[in-house]
């Protein structure tokens, strides 16, 4: 099961730090990425991802997970809602979660966000309803956590 990479910001997706190898790097399931985990952009962008590459947040990294938001389908809606519905949900939810994590409103920040959406397959086979939000830049890599940074 995998999540489709949303083509928001720079279409970047990353891996989590919470389940890293002893040397600070390692593959992490997309389902295990948690707020505060830092990631490198995959060398190859694909429609579905199963793993991300995590790094310590003190190391240069491209993204940092800052929220995992559960999508709740409308009453009686059992099937996959579609990419457009999930992207609208992710745009609003990730924007709303940005300020509490970074300390400044998204519109006033020098940072950007992107996200991972449930894929049709992970929705149908794995009951995946979560959107994972990531902070990113379009310039230099991040070299520390952005939590509370007011950047």
């Amino acid at each position: 099961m995998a999540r489709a990479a949303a083509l928001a910001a720079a279409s970047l997706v990353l891996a989590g730090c919470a389940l890293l190898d002893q040397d600070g790097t390692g593959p992490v399931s997309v389902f295990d990425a948690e707020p505060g985990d830092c990631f490198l952009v995959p060398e190859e962008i694909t429609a579905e991802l199963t793993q991300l590459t995590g790094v310590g947040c003190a190391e240069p990294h491209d993204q940092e997970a800052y929220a995992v938001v559960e999508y709740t389908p409308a009453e009686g809606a059992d099937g996959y809602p579609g990419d457009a519905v999930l992207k609208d949900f992710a745009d609003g939810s990730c924007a709303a979660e940005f300020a509490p994590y970074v300390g400044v409103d998204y519109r006033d920040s020098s940072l950007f966000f992107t996200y991972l959406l449930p894929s049709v397959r992970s929705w149908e086979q794995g009951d995946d309803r979560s959107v994972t939000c990531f902070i990113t830049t379009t310039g230099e890599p991040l070299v520390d956590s952005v939590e509370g940074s007011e950047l």
Side-chain angles (χ1 to χ4, degrees):
M1 293 173 228
R3 295 184 188 185
L7 297 177
S11 295
L12 304 174
V13 290
L14 312 171
C17 295
L19 301 174
L20 301 178
D21 294 336
Q22 299 256 339
D23 65 357
T25 64
V28 176
S29 167
V30 295
F31 300 108
D32 293 330
E34 297 179 358
D37 291 346
C38 295
F39 310 94
L40 298 175
V41 173
E43 290 182 21
E44 192 174 317
I45 302 293
T46 60
E48 290 190 13
L49 296 173
T50 58
Q51 289 191 345
L52 305 168
T53 302
V55 297
C57 291
E59 300 297 319
H61 58 280
D62 305 301
Q63 294 184 333
E64 180 174 337
Y66 69 97
V68 178
V69 186
E70 190 77 12
Y71 175 80
T72 303
E75 189 173 326
D78 294 329
Y80 184 75
D83 288 342
V85 169
L86 289 174
K87 285 179 182 180
D88 285 347
F89 171 78
D91 283 335
S93 298
C94 291
E97 296 292 329
F98 191 93
Y101 191 83
V102 177
V104 66
D105 188 273
Y106 173 70
R107 295 168 291 193
D108 298 323
S109 177
S110 63
L111 302 169
F112 299 93
F113 70 82
T114 188
Y115 41 79
L116 290 177
L117 301 174
S119 68
V120 174
R121 184 182 336 186
S122 67
W123 185 280
E124 293 174 354
Q125 295 178 355
D127 200 33
D128 178 17
R129 305 294 184 267
S130 296
V131 170
T132 304
C133 306
F134 298 94
I135 291 170
T136 189
T137 71
T138 59
E140 295 296 314
L142 300 166
V143 292
D144 204 353
S145 173
V146 297
E147 185 173 11
S149 67
E150 297 184 359
L151 292 175

